[in-house]
Amino acid sequence: MHPQKRPSHTRRVHGVAANVSEKEPSATMAQRLNKAIAAAGFCSRRKADELIFAGHVTVNDQEERNPARQVQPEDRICVDGRCLERKQPFLYYLLHKPVQVVCTLHDPQGRPTVLSLLPEEARKARVYPVGRLDYFSEGALLLTNDGQWANRLMHPRHHVPKEYEVTVRGQVAASFLEQVRRGMRLSDGTPLLPAEIEARPLRDGDKCLLRIVLHQGINRQIRRMCADGGLTILRLRRVRIGHLALGSLPSGKLRPLTEQEIARFA
């Protein structure tokens, strides 16, 4: 049998589906039997339904006639005695990274990593961070095991906007705000694209809250901008990546993305 063409991006998403009619759990790697057969490239989902109803399919050596049967990645699925090679489901998460957690899967210094915040299914699927937040920064971080999707998000030509809330000590000079809006040049000569920035004094009068939207991914960009502007950062939190807002997601927690959220980054 000839291998099927790779399905479209949203159709190959597993474990995070928001399709209520299929009633698939949104945060698990389980999937419907007919979908698993189709995802393995054996046939279409409709043809899989026919094979299942006709008694041609076994799961773990037991005949299965229910297309909606939930199967796990470790389950053995066979059609007429031929066992399928199943592809690893793609998983997509939004994590609220706390401070003092590194965005790597292993840290030579023994510091906590985002891996410690992930459920077992995500660790088994080898998800990894898309981009970075430094050790003392917090907020929205995407994780996936879909390399093509991750590369699209990180490619410079896409300029996915990222919004930050930054608390600094003291007040912010209007000249610094204008520099940022025009596109400042860092002290080391690195040119920056224009960024959106607003400043709001906080009640105690000795702090200011900055809302900054970046359209590029320079390493530690906000910290370097503020350092050049003579500002001391007290808190740096990323609250939005593209259309994905952190919202009320608690620190240290994560949620799976819906198919619609994933597709909007395609």
Side-chain angles (χ1 to χ4, degrees), residues 49-214:
D49 287 340
E50 296 175 3
L51 292 170
I52 295 166
F53 287 134
H56 292 276
V57 177
T58 62
V59 177
N60 301 328
D61 300 321
Q62 299 294 317
E63 184 180 299
E64 180 58 65
R65 292 178 180 256
N66 179 11
R69 155 81 181 271
Q70 295 288 311
V71 292
Q72 299 290 340
E74 63 270 17
D75 288 332
R76 193 157 64 100
I77 302 172
C78 301
V79 181
D80 289 330
R82 174 185 170 185
C83 293
L84 307 183
E85 290 187 18
R86 300 177 60 193
K87 300 175 183 178
Q88 174 67 58
F90 288 129
L91 301 180
Y92 310 81
Y93 292 103
L94 173 65
L95 170 71
H96 186 162
K97 186 191 96 65
V99 295
Q100 300 185 37
V101 171
V102 294
C103 290
T104 56
L105 302 183
H106 304 282
D107 182 62
Q109 301 178 43
R111 296 172 296 181
T113 74
V114 292
L115 187 65
S116 65
L117 304 174
L118 304 181
E120 182 180 0
E121 64 191 14
R123 293 196 295 270
K124 284 183 177 179
R126 299 182 180 180
V127 303
Y128 56 89
V130 181
R132 298 290 178 90
L133 273 176
D134 66 50
Y135 186 62
F136 289 108
S137 298
E138 58 189 298
L141 180 70
L142 295 174
L143 301 104
T144 188
N145 56 354
D146 183 346
Q148 291 186 11
W149 188 80
N151 289 337
R152 278 196 296 272
L153 262 69
M154 292 188 289
H155 198 285
R157 75 167 178 264
H158 292 296
H159 296 303
V160 176
K162 299 179 179 67
E163 182 176 347
Y164 299 81
E165 290 179 351
V166 187
T167 304
V168 297
R169 181 174 290 123
Q171 300 306 305
V172 181
S175 58
F176 174 76
L177 300 179
E178 283 305 309
Q179 267 189 306
V180 173
R181 290 168 183 150
R182 288 198 309 266
M184 67 186 293
R185 184 178 292 273
L186 296 176
S187 58
D188 64 2
T190 303
L192 302 180
L193 293 176
E196 302 168 42
I197 186 169
E198 297 175 359
R200 178 169 62 85
L202 297 179
R203 285 185 180 181
D204 59 16
D206 189 38
K207 298 175 186 175
C208 188
L209 180 65
L210 300 176
R211 186 191 71 86
I212 303 175
V213 180
L214 301 182

